[in-house]
Amino acid sequence: CEKASLWQTALELLQAAGLRGVALNSSGYNALIGTMEKVGDWQRAVALLHDMRGAFLLSDVVSYGSVVRALEGQARWTSILSLLEEARLRSAGPGSVTLLS
């Protein structure tokens, strides 16, 4: 989506799907989080990570790694440290996340 500058459309489709009761899986969320990382929208990347939890989906090293990279691009170091601690507590493993970053 990011290559075709259609990331806003992808987010709108996610919202529309949710209104119709269609659930996105972890891979779909990871793709959107990765897109937000690439377009530099760390706020949406973080929000999507939180949405995953709200949908009872497993956030993994891909999820956390993409959000960490989005935050890194904006030098949000305190947020990165908090996120790495959260990943450790949720057993996503900060060592794995930092290796992906």
Side-chain angles (χ1 to χ4, degrees), residues 26-98:
S26 294
S27 296
Y29 271 101
N30 284 344
L32 282 171
I33 291 170
T35 298
M36 295 303 106
E37 171 208 340
K38 287 176 178 66
V39 299
D41 193 340
W42 66 269
Q43 288 119 333
R44 281 202 176 102
V46 170
L48 286 164
L49 182 67
H50 289 239
D51 289 350
M52 280 181 81
R53 285 187 232 122
F56 303 104
L57 295 171
L58 178 66
S59 47
D60 57 15
V61 294
V62 174
S63 316
Y64 282 101
S66 293
V67 175
V68 164
R69 285 188 299 276
L71 291 166
E72 181 183 33
Q74 300 299 314
R76 307 219 19 114
W77 307 115
T78 304
S79 299
I80 290 170
L81 291 173
S82 296
L83 193 64
L84 290 173
E85 177 63 10
E86 178 183 310
R88 184 186 70 79
L89 293 173
R90 292 181 176 268
S91 299
S96 301
V97 173
T98 53

